[in-house]
Amino acid sequence: MDNYPGLPGMNGYDMGMKFKEHADGLGADFMQAEVQEIEMEENEKVIKTSNGDFKTKSIIIATGARHRKLGVPGEEEHVGLGVSYCATCDGAFFRDKTVVVVGGGDVAVEDAIFLGRICKKVYLVHRRDELRAAKSLQEKLFEMENVECIWDTTVTNINGEQQVESVTTRNLKDEKEADLKVDGIFIAVGILPNTEMFKDNLKMDEGRYIVAEEDGKTNIPGVFAAGDVRTKMLRQIVTAASDGANAVTSAQEYLIYQ
Ligand SMILES: Cc1cc2nc3c(=O)[nH]c(=O)nc-3n(C[C@H](O)[C@H](O)[C@H](O)COP(=O)(O)OP(=O)(O)OC[C@H]3O[C@@H](n4cnc5c(N)ncnc54)[C@H](O)[C@@H]3O)c2cc1C
């Protein structure tokens, strides 16, 4: 984690433990359990978990989001060893190197532009012959001399002894396979918020994020959303932490004035 202010070089696990110790010291109670269902009545919420049921007046949902995987051989083994799902988080590790971005939407094109500014060469592999991204982004992308688009193509394998060394691509029109020598692969084929269990209660946008502004308020009084799970511009640790502070303030206000 190189982009959280004041803590350069901290790894994600250590940062999580530091956050926990801090909250522990302030008297927070922790419990490990899987939340399986939540009943959201206006005055009482019932949280059903693998470790018993809990009744509360207010809830802050912070279940996060997961990156959609490519699901190809070599992907799982190389996460953190050249496979990344976040160009703004990991791009700096690939300065002056060669990388491939997979995807064709706004995020993939934004990633390719971002990486094009720091990497020696960027390939953008897309399974169709045109991008879905906004035209303005496409124009910027096509101006970049070190970015090359590879159309009608998918990545079928990620290869490398330890670090990523190459990816195997397959052209969907002529079925020809090729080996692309790269130092890293950025997968930008979508994000899935962990909101399945709230779909019958909470208002969500077309990407299945819980609709909530900066105050974390959802369509149900007393239910707040914070972090990657809510509608927002930038999904990072620093914005998740600030969402947490805002949502707690909203929950306190709700408990006082309801
Ligand atoms: C590989 C990777 C690298 C990243 N690198 C960076 C980086 O360098 N810098 C940066 O700022 N951001 C980075 N991010 C993004 C960052 O991790 C997120 O923005 C941030 O963690 C969001 O915090 P959150 O609390 O909303 O969700 P999360 O951190 O995802 O936490 C959600 C938690 O909810 C739990 N949960 C979900 N469903 C249930 C359930 N039903 N019951 C119980 N618990 C549940 C999950 O197990 C998880 O612990 C990275 C993300 C990934 C995947």
Side-chain angles (χ1 to χ4, degrees):
M1 302 293 165
D2 261 327
N3 55 358
Y4 193 87
L7 298 174
M10 171 79 80
N11 73 52
Y13 178 79
D14 289 345
M15 182 181 273
M17 292 317 284
K18 282 249 170 261
F19 285 179
K20 183 176 181 298
E21 272 168 34
H22 194 170
D24 259 337
L26 294 170
D29 280 333
F30 283 85
M31 179 204 278
Q32 248 177 339
E34 190 190 353
V35 177
Q36 289 155 341
E37 195 189 332
I38 304 184
E39 287 171 10
M40 298 183 190
E41 300 303 324
E42 183 151 345
N43 291 321
E44 186 178 77
K45 283 89 188 158
V46 182
I47 302 156
K48 300 186 173 176
T49 82
S50 53
N51 205 357
D53 295 355
F54 300 86
K55 287 184 182 167
T56 67
K57 288 188 172 166
S58 179
I59 312 176
I60 297 172
I61 297 170
T63 46
R66 58 193 190 275
H67 291 276
R68 201 189 284 270
K69 306 252 157 104
L70 269 188
V72 299
E75 181 175 8
E76 292 289 335
E77 303 89 291
H78 289 101
V79 171
L81 295 169
V83 170
S84 172
Y85 301 88
C86 178
T88 51
C89 308
D90 299 331
F93 299 117
F94 296 88
R95 186 170 294 281
D96 299 325
K97 297 197 168 171
T98 300
V99 298
V100 56
V101 176
V102 186
D106 284 350
V107 174
V109 173
E110 274 169 2
D111 284 358
I113 294 169
F114 176 82
L115 292 164
R117 293 190 178 128
I118 50 182
C119 296
K120 186 170 72 183
K121 171 90 187 176
V122 177
Y123 296 101
L124 179 64
V125 169
H126 184 41
R127 61 192 164 144
R128 303 191 201 290
D129 61 2
E130 60 179 358
L131 299 165
R132 276 181 294 111
K135 284 280 169 270
S136 55
L137 282 173
Q138 295 194 32
E139 280 164 18
K140 256 192 208 156
L141 181 85
F142 296 143
E143 276 169 15
M144 300 186 79
E145 286 178 1
N146 62 340
V147 180
E148 184 182 332
C149 294
I150 305 180
W151 305 111
D152 300 309
T153 297
T154 54
V155 167
T156 56
N157 271 275
I158 299 172
N159 318 305
E161 278 292 310
Q162 282 230 320
Q163 295 279 333
V164 168
E165 293 166 16
S166 71
V167 297
T168 310
T169 60
R170 182 189 295 136
N171 184 296
L172 296 171
K173 288 207 163 144
D174 60 17
E175 295 291 317
K176 275 196 182 141
E177 293 206 334
D179 201 41
L180 208 56
K181 294 253 170 292
V182 292
D183 303 292
I185 168 167
F186 287 83
I187 298 169
V189 294
I191 292 178
L192 295 171
N194 298 319
T195 55
E196 289 82 359
M197 95 176 93
F198 314 116
K199 65 179 188 316
D200 296 332
N201 303 92
L202 296 181
K203 201 170 159 205
M204 296 189 198
D205 73 358
E206 68 283 356
R208 290 192 267 154
Y209 292 99
I210 297 172
V211 174
E213 296 294 322
E214 205 182 340
D215 58 13
K217 286 182 187 164
T218 68
N219 56 304
I220 297 189
V223 177
F224 304 91
D228 280 9
V229 78
R230 81 167 177 97
T231 45
K232 66 196 287 194
M233 198 180 98
L234 180 66
R235 293 190 172 83
Q236 288 201 335
I237 301 166
V238 70
T239 61
S242 96
D243 277 7
N246 284 326
V248 166
T249 306
S250 296
Q252 273 176 334
E253 236 172 57
Y254 173 78
L255 293 174
I256 293 167
Y257 298 112
Q258 65 152 331

